[in-house]
Amino acid sequence: MKAYQLAAKGETPALIDLDMPAPATGEVLVEIKACGLNFADLLMIKGTYQDTPAAPFTLGMEAAGIVRATGDGLSRFKSGDRVAVFGGQGGLAEYGVFPEDRCLALLDDVSFEQGAAFQIAYGTSHLALDYRARMQPGETLVVLGAAGGVGLTAVEVGHRMGATVVAVARGDDKLAVAKAAGAHHLIDAETPDLRQALKDLGGADVVYDAVGGDAFRAAFRACKPEARLLPIGFASGDVPQIPANHLMVKNIDVLGVYWGGYMKFKPQVVRDSLAELMGWIAAGAITPHISHSLPLAEVETGLELLRARKSTGKIVITP
């Protein structure tokens, strides 16, 4: 079988031939039909992601496909079942072996591409806004990086939860994508005074930030009392420092969100969230935005699109 593997830290990953794996106790063998790319894949290649596996390993954090074999001691899945998988690795291949408890039954009304596109991005946004921020209908949600892989899902999930969504993104094209996902107000990230633009809209109850840097600092200063800031990531490369005295004076909460961490200490929170999201997808309430769908042979093209920020929503690889 073909797999996109990193042989050693510091090397360039490559598409190679591997023997077909066999599932051990508690595992399933999945014929992979789709795998979503994530910014974390780029960090793993560089060796800077907090959960980078030991090399050699096959890249690809989230996938969807068909169970083809099961190890001993399983009861939830059988050969032929459709599943979505958050494996953390192993998705950029024709087949993969994954722990059974990392698999979720894929509803018939959800495609393989949707199954591979929604888990990390939508899961992060839903867990952040619902479980962490306890966002309520009618509150104002500011999404920084609103056309990116996770930002766009925050726009859609926030709209679905009844928030007034303010999308901040760079350029008319990306803002149009955010508007189509349900944003009520649009602000170009290059606006000279982002803080004032947000305050002109009444300020923020919840800030969802995958960007960091100056955008975070501007949104922080536009927060209402008792606002909640959600640091999701730092695509700008600038990790902002937060003045504790300002938190105190304005009674603001900063709630860190690392979705993958919940798989280690509260996995049921993730499973419940994903099950609710999959129901929304099946019902047409949310629609994962896939800007590019590429074969496994073109995985490096997909990663370059991600690296150059030339995609909106999700890039999916279809082995």
Side-chain angles (χ1 to χ4, degrees):
M1 69 171 207
K2 297 288 187 183
Y4 190 67
Q5 191 165 97
L6 184 70
K9 184 177 179 180
E11 293 191 6
T12 300
L15 194 60
I16 64 172
D17 290 308
L18 293 176
D19 292 336
M20 183 77 70
T25 299
E27 294 181 335
V28 294
L29 172 68
V30 177
E31 180 185 355
I32 298 168
K33 297 294 187 180
C35 178
L37 296 185
N38 291 275
F39 191 74
D41 290 311
L42 300 177
L43 298 180
M44 284 187 187
I45 292 170
K46 293 165 60 178
T48 58
Y49 188 61
Q50 59 264 28
D51 277 342
T52 300
F57 69 93
T58 298
L59 289 148
M61 299 178 71
E62 57 183 336
I66 302 171
V67 173
R68 292 305 184 195
T70 62
D72 296 331
L74 296 180
S75 59
R76 289 178 57 214
F77 300 107
K78 64 183 184 303
S79 181
D81 285 350
R82 303 170 78 248
V83 291
V85 184
F86 172 66
Q89 60 174 300
L92 286 172
E94 293 175 320
Y95 291 84
V97 165
F98 304 98
E100 181 251 7
D101 62 5
R102 291 295 189 101
C103 300
L104 187 71
L106 191 64
L107 298 178
D108 289 341
D109 291 333
V110 180
S111 71
F112 290 118
E113 290 190 352
Q114 289 175 324
F118 92 96
Q119 296 171 77
I120 295 175
Y122 280 93
T124 295
S125 293
H126 185 259
L127 187 145
L129 298 176
D130 183 58
Y131 183 77
R132 293 290 279 154
R134 300 287 195 266
M135 190 173 69
Q136 300 300 308
E139 289 193 307
T140 297
L141 166 65
V142 173
V143 181
L144 306 178
V150 291
L152 196 62
T153 66
V155 171
E156 198 170 0
V157 170
H159 179 87
R160 175 71 174 75
M161 291 177 64
T164 298
V165 181
V166 180
V168 181
R170 184 170 285 104
D172 291 342
D173 290 346
K174 290 189 174 183
L175 287 171
V177 171
K179 182 177 181 180
H184 301 87
H185 303 284
L186 308 174
I187 300 177
D188 195 299
E190 299 291 341
T191 191
D193 192 343
L194 177 58
R195 170 183 173 270
Q196 190 59 50
L198 292 171
K199 289 182 73 69
D200 288 345
L201 293 173
D205 293 300
V206 178
V207 176
Y208 181 102
D209 176 33
V211 178
D214 290 340
F216 177 94
R217 287 183 277 270
F220 176 67
R221 296 173 64 205
C223 280
K224 301 178 185 179
E226 295 193 330
R228 287 86 76 205
L229 285 91
L230 300 162
I232 305 296
F234 311 101
S236 68
D238 180 349
V239 180
Q241 303 304 301
I242 303 166
N245 58 324
H246 291 188
L247 297 177
M248 179 190 72
V249 170
K250 296 185 74 172
N251 293 290
I252 293 174
D253 294 330
V254 179
L255 304 168
V257 181
Y258 172 42
W259 182 81
Y262 276 88
M263 294 299 295
K264 298 176 181 178
F265 69 93
K266 276 190 178 179
Q268 195 58 47
V269 170
V270 175
R271 295 189 194 107
D272 291 345
S273 173
L274 291 178
E276 183 169 4
L277 286 166
M278 196 183 302
W280 289 1
I281 295 170
I286 58 174
T287 304
H289 177 78
I290 299 169
S291 64
H292 297 81
S293 181
L294 302 168
L296 186 58
E298 296 179 27
V299 61
E300 291 176 1
T301 299
L303 289 170
E304 184 54 37
L305 287 168
L306 195 63
R307 187 179 291 111
R309 294 180 173 84
K310 292 183 178 179
S311 62
T312 55
K314 204 74 172 178
I315 300 168
V316 171
I317 303 300
T318 55

